[in-house]
Amino acid sequence: MPTDTSNVAFVRTETLPEKAPPASETGIVKWLRENLFAGWANSLLTLLAIWAIYIILSSILPWLFGGLWTTSSLSECREILQGRVGGCFSVLTERWNQLLYGFKYPNDQYWRPNLALVLLFFAAAPVLFFDLPRKLLIFTGLYPFLAFWLIWGGAIAVPIVALLGVVAGYVVFDRLGKQTFAGGFFGGIAAAILVWVLGMALIPETASENALLESVPSRDLGGFMLNLMLGVTCVSLSLPIGIALALGRQSNMPLIKWICVVFIEFIRGVPLITLLFVASVMLSYFFPPESTVDLFLRVVIMITVFSAAYIAEVIRGGLAALPKGQYEAADSLGLDYPQAMQLIILPQALKISIPGIVNVAVGLFKDTTLVSVISMFDLVGMIRGPILASTEWNGVYWELLGFAAALFFVVCYGISQYSQWLERRLATDHR
Amino acid sequence: MAEAAQMTVSDEVAISIENMNKWYGTFHVLRDIDLTVYRGERIVICGPSGSGKSTLIRCINALEEHQQGSITVDGTLLSSDIKNIDVIRSEVGMCFQHFNLFPHLTILENCTLAPIWVRKIPKKEAEETAMHFLEKVKIPEQADKYPGQLSGGQQQRVAIARSLCMKPRIMLFDEPTSALDPEMIKEVLDTMIELAEEGMTMLCVTHEMGFARQVANRVIFMDQGQIVEQNEPEPFFSNPQSDRTKLFLSQILGH
């Protein structure tokens, strides 16, 4: 400013040099002032929070870092600790394999589920990240059969026949589906079943005895592996079924509509645990005594059916949120129903439904621990059963259940992060 | 553009509607509609809201179902047969009041989707056609943007280009400028005028009477689900016959 205030006219002749802002407006000081000490109430809350964090950490950290990892029983832990605070994490190291694979899976075969898990990432990648080349989806299509063979072992002919059945079903659907959808749909299912029945009849009884991979029955599966298997299988099955149910519920054909409505409402009205009991106990009353429908399969069906009903309702919400104009625009361009759904309606409806679907998926994954109630030895089943019941580890609760919580947290947090990335990636509305 | 109104109209019938009736529940929305549209005709349909004018053109590409009478488009009788409906829809382009672009697809993808999936045109060729029509509506530079990034007028022009990419023989416009700011109306009308000059058969529900005067070779006035009056634009505006038409015109031209 000019010093002579009587002179109003003013011309700047040189540019003022840039000055550093005051210390209270930059860096950590500014951040602290704005976020932690913006007022007396805010400062008080900050101090209270720091105190609470201190209390929590001061009891957890010594327990975590003072813990023992190499003892062979809880009583040995207690002897060494002598009343000092410290976790007895030796149970995790000693029972590591049991926690992950259950207690019956053959020890020398652990590489098989491990390989299946590694391959799962390759199979899931092109589905989750659609910027990857679409040709990778071929591996995704083959993966279920490969994983089945790796985990259960036995005759390689079984997954091959299963794959052939699916291929036959698809070919028939593709041929007949061009004329009428219903013809293709039922024709495809009939062809698949025909191939399966014929194929299974052709496989000799003894095929699994000297197979390349030793056969492991379903009841020998367990641990966190079982949770992951149930979670992955059921989520990937219930999403397409849920979409079909949601579309079916909107159908103009009364029969299809009512089948879907009754199915969804019935399943939603029943607790999952009831369905699991039906799977483990009741279903065997309905099948002929000599037929042995695998317990794993029965449980997969029940969990899938359960979450499909929920996903269907989530997607119905997404469909309802779409403006009617989108349907009309698709119609007016001459797109037929499958094209309109695949290209216009579902991409948008599913995008809207992502948070809800992820909610169901995370819930489903955690609900797989309910199978411990019907005496399957998943992670929680292993902890509650063989491990806590053993004389060495009777009474080690925090370490075991904390470990289980940590495993589930990692997976669920991963799912949630993925869904947030997906929502950002798909955001095209620029609001 | 004054010659637009004198453009040739062939005697080939494009759309013929005979004795068509439609009800919403018990409400009789369209009553005994008889209308023949010749190829190359540009028809403006006007009338108060609720008069059934939108419903009428939505019946032509089966977005609404009619219950009585017949609609024949390009020689194809509109029935409940889905095959016929799809044939008609791919021959008839439609523009909506609220554009109804697909927000999850880019402008270019919006324009190529139907040609690729319905007409089975190779992607490359469809993209060339799309760019041609985007240039025609003067927004080729927006091809890679999403609809949400465009102004209303631009979106409506994309919607017109999207319809044109299907190479329709008839275009339906359902109040294409009603959701636009005044300064964007002109750019959309200019596009439509250009289209009319090229001889496209057009049915246009609109309140833009200037457009009607300039482009239409027939103006239809509807009220309470009936065609009350139709005439060439000059006599229609200067010498309306029915009292209802007079009242309507005095209200929309009065200021």
Side-chain angles (χ1 to χ4, degrees):
Chain A
M1 289 293 283
T3 46
D4 180 9
T5 47
S6 64
N7 187 3
V8 179
F10 166 71
V11 178
R12 169 89 61 210
T13 48
E14 57 195 41
T15 315
L16 293 178
E18 262 186 35
K19 286 185 215 158
S24 60
E25 284 304 311
T26 53
I28 188 144
V29 178
K30 174 180 154 79
W31 186 87
L32 281 175
R33 265 172 44 126
E34 281 181 357
N35 293 294
L36 299 180
F37 302 102
W40 66 269
N42 193 303
S43 308
L44 188 67
L45 281 176
T46 304
L47 293 176
L48 272 176
I50 291 174
W51 180 69
I53 292 171
Y54 170 76
I55 299 272
I56 292 169
L57 286 185
S58 65
S59 41
I60 285 185
L61 288 181
W63 178 75
L64 210 55
F65 291 106
L68 301 172
W69 294 86
T70 50
T71 55
S72 61
S73 72
L74 180 59
S75 48
E76 200 185 329
C77 275
R78 287 191 175 132
E79 256 170 50
I80 297 177
L81 286 170
Q82 295 289 348
R84 188 165 56 83
V85 176
C88 189
F89 300 109
S90 331
V91 64
L92 303 182
T93 48
E94 209 232 12
R95 298 293 176 107
W96 180 254
N97 287 337
Q98 289 196 354
L99 288 166
L100 293 193
Y101 306 99
F103 64 113
K104 279 192 197 149
Y105 203 89
N107 292 19
D108 55 341
Q109 304 290 323
Y110 285 156
W111 65 271
R112 282 159 49 182
N114 290 348
L115 180 60
L117 180 64
V118 171
L119 292 178
L120 172 66
F121 289 107
F122 289 98
V127 180
L128 299 180
F129 304 98
F130 32 77
D131 294 325
L132 293 173
R134 297 291 82 191
K135 282 196 177 143
L136 293 178
L137 282 173
I138 296 173
F139 178 69
T140 309
L142 294 177
Y143 177 77
F145 307 99
L146 182 61
F148 171 83
W149 183 59
L150 277 174
I151 291 174
W152 275 273
I156 195 170
V158 175
I160 288 177
V161 167
L163 176 61
L164 286 177
V166 171
V167 171
Y170 177 75
V171 169
V172 171
F173 172 76
D174 197 42
R175 286 280 162 79
L176 291 181
K178 285 200 178 102
Q179 279 104 46
T180 60
F181 179 78
F185 183 73
F186 292 113
I189 290 181
I193 291 178
L194 187 70
V195 171
W196 286 332
V197 170
L198 281 180
M200 293 302 168
L202 287 176
I203 300 173
E205 293 274 327
T206 54
S208 64
E209 279 169 13
N210 42 16
L212 193 58
L213 292 180
E214 179 188 336
S215 169
V216 180
S218 289
R219 61 175 181 277
D220 289 358
L221 304 173
F224 194 57
M225 174 181 79
L226 183 60
N227 293 110
L228 276 180
M229 284 164 59
L230 286 171
V232 171
T233 317
C234 296
V235 169
S236 36
L237 288 177
S238 59
L239 192 58
I241 297 177
I243 293 173
L245 283 172
L247 293 179
R249 194 169 182 164
Q250 287 206 324
S251 169
N252 295 327
M253 287 176 262
L255 182 66
I256 291 181
K257 180 176 176 167
W258 284 107
I259 289 176
C260 293
V261 169
V262 167
F263 180 87
I264 292 171
E265 296 301 334
F266 175 74
I267 297 292
R268 284 203 311 165
V270 179
L272 177 57
I273 196 83
T274 322
L275 289 178
L276 290 177
F277 275 122
V278 169
S280 80
V281 186
M282 303 277 286
L283 276 188
S284 46
Y285 292 127
F286 297 108
F287 291 117
E290 67 274 12
S291 82
T292 50
V293 177
D294 197 284
L295 179 61
F296 181 84
L297 181 61
R298 283 181 275 165
V299 167
V300 162
I301 291 173
M302 285 306 180
I303 300 181
T304 302
V305 156
F306 185 77
S307 51
Y310 278 86
I311 287 181
E313 286 299 277
V314 169
I315 293 173
R316 189 164 71 98
L319 289 170
L322 275 196
K324 198 167 161 249
Q326 292 292 310
Y327 293 88
E328 289 177 352
D331 282 347
S332 74
L333 286 171
L335 296 172
D336 59 21
Y337 178 82
Q339 287 171 340
M341 288 300 137
Q342 179 199 344
L343 301 168
I344 308 298
I345 305 302
L346 282 178
Q348 297 184 63
L350 289 178
K351 189 176 100 184
I352 300 172
S353 319
I354 289 173
I357 293 173
V358 168
N359 212 4
V360 174
V362 166
L364 178 155
F365 181 58
K366 291 185 297 185
D367 281 351
T368 57
T369 53
L370 281 177
V371 299
S372 64
V373 178
I374 53 167
S375 57
M376 283 174 93
F377 291 99
D378 74 314
L379 180 58
V380 172
M382 282 306 295
I383 292 173
R384 290 187 343 139
I387 298 179
L388 279 177
S390 68
T391 48
E392 299 96 334
W393 303 112
N394 191 353
V396 197
Y397 290 101
W398 284 97
E399 293 82 349
L400 284 168
L401 295 173
F403 174 69
L407 279 183
F408 276 96
F409 177 78
V410 167
V411 177
C412 294
Y413 187 70
I415 297 176
S416 141
Q417 287 300 304
Y418 167 74
S419 82
Q420 286 179 27
W421 171 85
L422 190 62
E423 277 180 66
R424 282 196 304 275
R425 171 70 177 69
L426 295 178
T428 57
D429 48 358
H430 305 280
R431 270 189 285 218
Chain B
M1 291 181 188
E3 72 272 25
Q6 283 100 51
M7 280 180 322
T8 50
V9 171
S10 76
D11 51 3
E12 185 191 346
V13 175
I15 302 171
S16 117
I17 300 174
E18 281 167 25
N19 210 10
M20 191 255 280
N21 279 279
K22 173 169 176 60
W23 288 264
Y24 282 129
T26 56
F27 177 55
H28 200 171
V29 261
L30 291 177
R31 308 180 193 178
D32 289 343
I33 303 288
D34 280 298
L35 177 65
T36 306
V37 180
Y38 295 95
R39 187 158 308 291
E41 267 202 301
R42 297 147 325 267
I43 296 180
V44 163
I45 304 172
C46 61
S49 54
S51 59
K53 51 197 192 307
S54 286
T55 311
L56 172 61
I57 70 165
R58 289 158 61 87
C59 280
I60 292 172
N61 68 350
L63 287 183
E64 304 277 356
E65 215 179 339
H66 62 283
Q67 280 95 23
Q68 264 179 19
S70 74
I71 301 179
T72 312
V73 181
D74 251 352
T76 312
L77 180 69
L78 195 59
S79 60
S80 55
D81 186 349
I82 294 176
K83 290 258 155 53
N84 278 356
I85 291 179
D86 283 340
V87 167
I88 288 176
R89 280 174 177 165
S90 60
E91 298 299 330
V92 178
M94 175 135 187
C95 282
F96 299 88
Q97 182 177 1
H98 296 288
F99 332 133
N100 296 349
L101 294 178
F102 305 129
H104 62 302
L105 300 175
T106 64
I107 301 306
L108 190 63
E109 287 166 342
N110 263 280
C111 294
T112 55
L113 184 105
I116 290 174
W117 289 84
V118 179
R119 292 259 192 268
K120 315 285 179 200
I121 290 171
K123 187 167 179 230
K124 195 131 197 249
E125 200 183 320
E127 282 176 353
E128 278 163 17
T129 316
M131 286 313 292
H132 167 74
F133 284 113
L134 285 175
E135 265 159 38
K136 199 171 144 118
V137 300
K138 302 188 181 63
I139 35 177
E141 71 281 0
Q142 312 282 10
D144 294 322
K145 289 195 183 167
Y146 285 95
Q149 292 166 290
L150 270 55
S151 73
Q154 289 174 325
Q155 290 195 42
Q156 191 61 290
R157 284 183 285 154
V158 171
I160 294 173
R162 177 176 72 177
S163 300
L164 292 179
C165 284
M166 287 293 280
K167 309 263 172 76
R169 309 186 64 182
I170 300 164
M171 283 289 289
L172 308 174
F173 293 87
D174 187 4
E175 306 203 29
T177 55
S178 303
L180 296 177
D181 291 341
E183 55 187 7
M184 294 174 180
I185 290 178
K186 186 175 178 299
E187 59 187 50
V188 172
L189 288 182
D190 284 347
T191 308
M192 290 167 62
I193 290 168
E194 204 179 311
L195 201 57
E197 284 169 353
E198 287 170 10
M200 176 67 79
T201 311
M202 291 164 71
L203 268 85
C204 197
V205 173
T206 184
H207 297 296
E208 298 297 329
M209 290 304 135
F211 172 78
R213 262 182 213 276
Q214 188 182 345
V215 175
N217 57 337
R218 192 161 22 139
V219 180
I220 293 177
F221 175 69
M222 286 184 72
D223 188 33
Q224 295 181 339
Q226 311 160 69
I227 294 179
V228 174
E229 187 164 347
Q230 55 173 316
N231 208 337
E232 287 174 12
E234 205 40 52
F236 178 85
F237 287 112
S238 55
N239 186 21
Q241 298 299 307
S242 99
D243 291 344
R244 191 64 193 87
T245 317
K246 284 175 193 162
L247 179 65
F248 177 77
L249 287 177
S250 74
Q251 275 165 344
I252 66 163
L253 299 174
H255 52 84

